[in-house]
Amino acid sequence: MEMMTEALIQIEHLNKKFGDNEVLKDISAEITSGEVVVIIGPSGSGKSTFLRCVNLLEVPTSGSIKFEGTDITNKKNDIFKTREKMGMVFQQFNLFPNMTVLDNITLSPIKVKGLSKKEAEVIAKELLEKVGLSEKADAYPQSLSGGQQQRIAIARALAMKPDVMLFDEPTSALDPEMVGDVLAVMQQLAKEGMTMMIVTHEMGFAKEVGDRVIFMDGGVIVEEGTPEEVFDHTKNARTIDFLSKVL
Ligand code: ADP
Ligand code: MG
């Protein structure tokens, strides 16, 4: 017997055009609380646009996105309130270069959530420990490696205590030897039950950590399923072609 679980995120008939370029075509998907959904697909297939629509960094042309039951595409709803609950990590880490690591992490909790400096610093230090960078609290971003900066970016997103984490190719800009540390932090988050949507080219990670894999091509979801279904048992010609190039 299957349990009825309400979707944390419900995406229905999402379309996105840039001018005449229809980048997302009738995408529907549900993300359940605690689920790790990995999105794969060729460059230009619309993965980033899809992820950015989920927190309205891109405004959909049509369709609806419900987050915790609230339709965020309805302009009456406060997207800033919703975005506080969605952590996003990009390929480029986007840390504030003129602020220490600790200040990077505490900024939003203080400014947006109204935490005291002390409260925010307690949380920040816990998170620094979690990402293995306790000793870097007073460092400036440019003194850190790419992998360290990305782990700080993850800590910064987590400091807002989000209900979902969105990752857009978080390891693509890193030197190969840095990738493992960042993936390990993400794997730990998955283990702790964090809901995550992850665009990645790390197929080994997708297979190991993903509960579900979505394969996008040409602005549509071509196929979705468990990692085993998509990586080992697909019968879809487009999936087979893509996997043959990346595996
Ligand atoms: P992916 O992340 O899978 O590589 P993207 O979502 O970045 O794909 O891009 C999908 C398509 O949308 C591409 O053709 C890209 O050129 C186009 N696109 C993405 N962002 C914009 C934008 N801000 N303005 C115009 N076109 C865009
Ligand atoms: Mg992209």
Side-chain angles (χ1 to χ4, degrees):
M1 206 170 67
E2 214 171 359
M3 291 272 286
M4 286 292 291
T5 36
E6 181 159 345
L8 181 73
I9 304 173
Q10 187 159 30
I11 298 144
E12 286 182 320
H13 304 298
L14 173 65
N15 282 270
K16 176 65 183 177
K17 287 186 188 175
F18 291 109
D20 290 337
N21 188 9
E22 194 175 14
V23 171
L24 299 178
K25 302 165 189 164
D26 198 31
I27 301 258
S28 294
E30 281 190 1
I31 317 298
T32 304
S33 197
E35 200 179 18
V36 177
V37 176
V38 178
I39 301 162
I40 62 172
S43 181
S45 58
K47 304 180 300 296
S48 293
T49 305
F50 177 40
L51 208 63
R52 293 165 63 82
C53 280
V54 168
N55 65 2
L56 240 55
L57 285 179
E58 297 291 353
V59 179
T61 306
S62 63
S64 76
I65 299 166
K66 286 198 190 110
F67 179 73
E68 296 177 345
T70 302
D71 183 357
I72 61 171
T73 55
N74 183 335
K75 290 197 176 69
K76 284 184 192 141
N77 293 319
D78 180 0
I79 182 59
F80 294 102
K81 211 73 218 154
T82 300
R83 236 184 243 144
E84 285 175 25
K85 298 182 193 169
M86 299 174 151
M88 182 133 186
V89 174
F90 302 90
Q91 186 174 333
Q92 299 301 337
F93 335 115
N94 303 328
L95 295 174
F96 306 115
N98 56 332
M99 297 170 85
T100 65
V101 161
L102 197 67
D103 289 342
N104 264 277
I105 299 173
T106 57
L107 182 71
S108 286
I110 293 171
K111 291 242 168 190
V112 180
K113 282 199 155 172
L115 264 59
S116 71
K117 193 167 165 20
K118 218 172 189 171
E119 289 169 325
E121 286 185 355
V122 169
I123 294 170
K125 283 176 181 163
E126 280 169 17
L127 288 168
L128 280 174
E129 197 174 321
K130 188 188 193 78
V131 301
L133 292 169
S134 291
E135 76 286 5
K136 299 295 185 187
D138 299 321
Y140 283 84
Q142 63 266 32
S143 72
L144 305 178
S145 72
Q148 290 172 333
Q149 289 188 56
Q150 191 61 299
R151 283 184 280 153
I152 299 298
I154 293 171
R156 183 175 63 173
L158 290 172
M160 291 297 282
K161 304 227 180 281
D163 292 342
V164 61
M165 287 285 287
L166 311 175
F167 292 90
D168 191 358
E169 297 197 27
T171 60
S172 293
L174 301 179
D175 292 333
E177 72 270 24
M178 311 272 173
V179 169
D181 288 341
V182 172
L183 293 180
V185 167
M186 294 167 65
Q187 183 157 21
Q188 180 60 28
L189 280 179
K191 226 186 240 170
E192 291 167 8
M194 175 62 78
T195 311
M196 306 203 269
M197 292 179 76
I198 305 168
V199 175
T200 187
H201 293 293
E202 295 289 336
M203 296 300 152
F205 175 82
K207 215 168 160 173
E208 197 176 325
V209 178
D211 296 311
R212 186 148 55 97
V213 176
I214 290 178
F215 170 58
M216 287 182 68
D217 194 9
V220 301
I221 294 178
V222 172
E223 181 172 10
E224 62 177 301
T226 63
E228 196 177 55
E229 284 166 346
V230 174
F231 289 114
D232 300 335
H233 300 293
T234 183
K235 295 191 174 66
N236 187 292
R238 285 159 86 179
T239 310
I240 290 168
D241 179 58
F242 173 72
L243 292 177
S244 75
K245 289 169 184 155
V246 295
L247 286 180

